[in-house]
Amino acid sequence: MDRAQKEKVVEELGQIFESSGVVVVAHYEGLTVAEMQDLRSRAREAEASVRVAKNRLAKIALDGKPCASIADYLSGMTVLTFSEDPVAAAKVAEGFAKDNKKFEILGGAMGENALDRAGVEAVSKMPSREELIASIVGCIAAPASNIAGAIGAPASNIASILSTIEEKAEAA
């Protein structure tokens, strides 16, 4: 890799570290190509990304970034899982780590907050952005459906009373 390529990689990594809601660092030693492809496909489905980069270049890119605390985890064969959604990358990494014992999560960062192994696990259990939006919409929609039901209820009550009266008249 020549100097221009290294500078480009450092710039790309810097953008990743700047714009990501969460970055998870893990060791991937011993994973097969198929297993790495599985990790990448899981990340794509969750709108996250996976990146393997030289630790030295990643440390240069971390300089002055909010998640600079992950520099301590960058040793050995490391892989970065990241996403704009503050939960997606952690969920992907945790799910993959459960299926593959060779994938060892070291820690990560959520903005300026450093995460250890337990912190990444805790973040992965949080609801995603989509789940939060769905629950908020559900809370907002519930009163509206209750109002609609209350408005429509008197008419249905009158109809059922009339049908009961009609049935009694036919029976008599």
Side-chain angles (χ1 to χ4, degrees), residues 2-158:
D2 67 357
R3 185 174 179 85
Q5 290 173 320
K6 288 179 182 178
E7 287 175 356
K8 184 179 177 188
V9 169
V10 168
E11 184 179 324
E12 288 172 1
L13 289 171
Q15 289 174 353
I16 289 168
F17 295 140
E18 192 73 40
S19 65
S20 296
V22 68
V23 179
V24 178
V25 182
H27 279 159
Y28 69 101
E29 190 170 358
L31 288 180
T32 64
V33 172
E35 290 169 333
M36 281 300 286
Q37 287 175 337
D38 180 36
L39 173 62
R40 290 178 194 279
S41 69
R42 289 183 189 196
R44 236 186 333 272
E45 289 171 8
E47 296 183 15
S49 299
V50 175
R51 177 78 186 255
V52 176
K54 291 187 179 238
N55 291 331
R56 195 175 86 250
L57 297 178
K59 286 178 182 179
I60 292 169
L62 278 169
D63 190 38
K65 301 295 186 282
C67 57
S69 60
I70 66 171
D72 297 338
Y73 298 124
L74 297 174
S75 64
M77 295 179 64
T78 55
V79 62
L80 304 171
T81 308
F82 56 93
S83 63
E84 287 184 28
D85 182 340
V87 179
K91 284 184 185 270
V92 169
E94 279 293 329
F96 191 76
K98 286 180 183 165
D99 297 339
N100 296 295
K101 301 301 176 203
K102 298 173 204 162
F103 187 79
E104 179 188 349
I105 297 174
L106 303 174
M110 186 179 209
E112 293 182 5
N113 300 322
L115 302 172
D116 59 358
R117 175 69 181 91
V120 173
E121 185 177 355
V123 168
S124 73
K125 293 178 181 176
M126 294 170 59
S128 69
R129 182 182 300 157
E130 288 77 26
E131 292 169 339
L132 286 173
I133 290 171
S135 66
I136 290 170
V137 168
C139 290
I140 292 170
S145 66
N146 290 344
I147 291 171
I151 291 172
S156 65
N157 288 345
I158 292 172

